[in-house]
Every structure is written in C-alpha cells, then in structure tokens.
Amino acid sequence: MSVRHAPPRDTNPLPSGAIVARMTDPAADVARKEAEELEAQVAEYPDDRAEILREAAYAWLDAGEVARAEQILRELVTEGGEDGCWARTDLIEVLYTDGREKTAEAELDALARHPELDRGHCAVTAERLAERGFLTRALAWYDRFVARLSSDDLDALRGPKGWMSLEAPTLRGRRQVREELGLPPDATDELVPGPPTVEDLARLRKKMERFASSRAMPTQVRVVVFTRPERREACRMWPATYTADDDYFDAVERHWREIAESGGSSIRLYPITARGLARFAETEGLDPEQEETRTRYLDTLSDDDAVAWPPGRNAPCWCASGRKYKKCCGAVR
C-alpha cells in the first residue's frame, strides 16, 4: 500500500473547504468508495494498519472529506512512533492542500521536534515544500536531512559512484533550492555528485562491446528506472513524455511481481538520473524521450551499479523515497 506524495504545486492555495467545490460528484463518489474500502481492510491487515489508514486519508481528501482525512491522521499522530511521524508529514500535506497554511506551519514545528524524526521524513518534507514553492522552509528541512547523514553516507557520496547513492537526489534537490534562492554554493553543494561523464559512458560502452559477442542469453531482466526524485526531474525536463503520476510506481511494482511470480528471470534495476540520460542522448545524437535511447543507455551501465529487486523488507526502498521497502513500494497489493 503506497502513500501518495504531494500534489503539484498550487500557486493559489484554496481556502478551507474549497476542495469540495472543485471535485465533480462522480470523482468524489469513486474516492469515497476507495476510502471506505481501505478502512475496511484494516481488520484484515492489522500489521499494515497505519499504512492503510494513511492511504485512506488521501482518498478521503480526494473525496472532499477533509475533516475525515484530518481526523484519521491526527489519531495516528497521537499514537506516536514512526507511523505517527509519517502521519504528521501527511497531515501537513492535507492542511496545505486545504489552504490552512498557519496550521500546517504549526505541524511542521511539531514534526521538527518529533523523537522519531529521521532523514526520510526530512527528505520527503523538504521535497514537498519545494514543490509548493516554499523554498526557505524547504531548505531548512533539507538541512535537517544533511545533519542526519552518517560518515559512511558522506564517504559514499565522495566516491566514484556517488551519483548512484540514494542520498544524491535529495542533495541535488537541496542545491537546486539554494540556487533558486540565489545562495552561493556551500560545502554540501560541493559534495553533490554529478552524473556520469562522457568519458565514463564511453569507457563502459567499450567494455560492453568487448564482451557483447561472448555474452550468453540473459538470465536476468535488466530495467532502467528513475527514482521518485529523478522522475520528478524527468517530468520537469520532458513534460510531454513523463507525467507526475504517483500510480506509476505502484504499476511497475505490480508488473515486476508478475514477472517474478510467472517463474521468469530475476530482476535487476539500474537507477539513472535525468541529466545523465540527457547527457548521453546529446553525446550520441539521440532523442532522450525515446525508449530506444534509454535501452542504449542501459547497455552502457555497469552491473556494479545495479540494484537487486526486490530489496529486503527492511532495506531502503528502490524508489529512493527514504522509507523502508516494506512501508513503501513493498506494501503495494
């Protein structure tokens, strides 16, 4: 059961209650039915109770039932723990969407003091605030994320494959916010790894060509993927091809499960950056929006950069949401 991220930035926040007027009756009815079905699943899946209720809250929001969405999330917040912390991040989204900015800010302050606050909460909150155009607030949350990086994380970012680390997209988001605020680069900005160089890609291509003739039939399904932050960047760069569709990650997760359950090959994911793809396409004289370009780009990627799917339930999710796989894409049914 995945939980949706922030809606696209709304430069004209609606006054409280205006969501109801914006919904058409059929759409509200569908969302209301979904919310009721989700709440009914809690008894069947008690271990996933918080996750299901958070999803139900978003469905109630889509139905225009803001009060019910808020009630569910506030009850989860009161229960505390990690789930309560995540529920507060969702509550903040509900309040912003309903046009109650001051109340949302108060919840942001409470979230900052939450004992279970971790870098995943910080990254998601920063990205959502940035999407809404609240850049100064977003930067403060990006800085909280940076403060929670370990020495091992920093060493990985400095390494030759730092651009593939799960932390890199969030640091790129921080750098972009600082640039939009007109701030000069700081030490953390200098730490942000760039995409692979043209030389890196050329070297990998030669390696692949060298062994192409001797390769056996593939025993694995190789998939090039954008993580959530990089898909947002792809949406920004190529809006005609990529859309900010949260259902995309649910759909690909289900598709991979069908492959695995059918007895097919194992799956390995090759996360890429939008700018890395753009650079490759420019070097090769290709269209970055074409599937063939992504396929050719995949052929240049090293197996060392691949991620086995599915990750462990307690491992970070492959989509780079900052959450555990079991509480993110692994929760999709």
Side-chain angles (χ1 to χ4, degrees):
M1 188 74 59
S2 67
V3 175
R4 285 167 280 184
H5 285 260
R9 182 188 305 175
D10 188 347
T11 55
N12 295 299
L14 295 169
S16 178
I19 295 173
V20 177
R22 187 169 61 181
M23 293 290 297
T24 61
D25 287 341
D29 290 341
V30 169
R32 187 175 296 106
K33 181 179 179 181
E34 178 187 359
E36 291 170 349
E37 290 175 349
L38 285 166
E39 290 201 52
Q41 291 177 12
V42 170
E44 184 178 358
Y45 303 101
D47 290 343
D48 297 326
R49 173 179 173 275
E51 197 78 17
I52 294 171
L53 288 176
R54 289 172 58 207
E55 184 72 9
Y58 275 103
W60 283 118
L61 182 65
D62 289 344
E65 301 285 349
V66 182
R68 179 57 182 153
E70 183 176 353
Q71 178 187 3
I72 290 173
L73 294 173
R74 288 197 181 279
E75 288 175 357
L76 289 173
V77 168
T78 300
E79 292 173 10
E82 181 183 2
D83 289 329
C85 200
W86 280 113
R88 181 163 259 136
T89 67
D90 296 329
L91 175 60
I92 291 166
E93 277 303 296
V94 168
L95 294 170
Y96 272 130
T97 303
D98 196 37
R100 286 180 280 167
E101 186 172 330
K102 289 185 177 180
T103 308
E105 290 175 359
E107 293 297 336
L108 278 171
D109 291 339
L111 179 63
R113 299 189 299 271
H114 200 291
E116 298 287 340
L117 184 70
D118 64 25
R119 65 186 182 186
H121 306 123
C122 296
V124 168
T125 302
E127 290 164 7
R128 289 174 171 178
L129 289 169
E131 287 173 356
R132 291 185 173 278
F134 301 139
L135 301 184
T136 301
R137 297 175 202 164
L139 181 56
W141 282 91
Y142 275 123
D143 288 342
R144 288 186 174 94
F145 170 85
V146 171
R148 287 165 172 78
L149 294 179
S150 68
S151 58
D152 288 343
D153 296 327
L154 297 174
D155 288 342
L157 286 163
R158 295 187 183 100
K161 297 179 181 178
W163 67 281
M164 293 297 295
S165 73
L166 293 176
E167 292 76 22
T170 302
L171 293 185
R172 279 193 285 272
R174 178 182 182 275
R175 182 173 62 184
Q176 181 176 341
V177 165
R178 287 180 59 84
E179 289 174 353
E180 292 185 31
L181 288 171
L183 299 174
D186 63 4
T188 302
D189 290 335
E190 299 297 335
L191 184 64
V192 178
T197 65
V198 174
E199 291 76 14
D200 290 333
L201 295 176
R203 183 165 55 252
L204 289 171
R205 177 176 288 279
K206 288 181 180 179
K207 179 180 178 182
M208 297 299 293
E209 290 174 350
R210 188 179 305 126
F211 294 101
S213 60
S214 61
R215 268 202 249 171
M217 291 298 291
T219 59
Q220 297 174 328
V221 175
R222 302 167 70 239
V223 184
V224 62
V225 296
F226 286 124
T227 60
R228 290 182 189 271
E230 288 300 331
R231 184 171 175 83
R232 285 195 290 273
E233 180 68 7
C235 291
R236 187 187 67 79
M237 295 175 66
W238 306 298
T241 300
Y242 299 96
T243 58
D245 183 2
D246 290 324
D247 292 336
Y248 164 81
F249 291 92
D250 290 0
V252 296
E253 181 77 20
R254 292 190 184 98
H255 177 61
W256 296 337
R257 291 181 190 180
E258 289 173 1
I259 294 175
E261 291 169 1
S262 67
S265 301
S266 60
I267 298 172
R268 291 182 70 80
L269 310 182
Y270 291 74
I272 63 172
T273 66
R275 295 194 180 279
L277 175 61
R279 180 177 293 184
F280 170 78
E282 181 179 5
T283 301
E284 299 294 321
L286 301 172
D287 183 350
E289 298 184 66
Q290 294 297 315
E291 182 177 356
E292 180 183 355
T293 302
R294 295 190 293 275
T295 300
R296 290 179 60 175
Y297 188 31
L298 173 61
D299 287 338
T300 71
L301 302 178
S302 169
D303 288 339
D304 292 339
D305 297 326
V307 177
W309 181 93
R313 283 177 55 78
N314 289 314
C317 189
W318 64 267
C319 74
S321 64
R323 305 174 62 195
K324 294 179 180 179
Y325 176 66
K326 69 180 181 182
K327 289 186 173 291
C328 192
C329 293
V332 174
R333 292 191 178 87

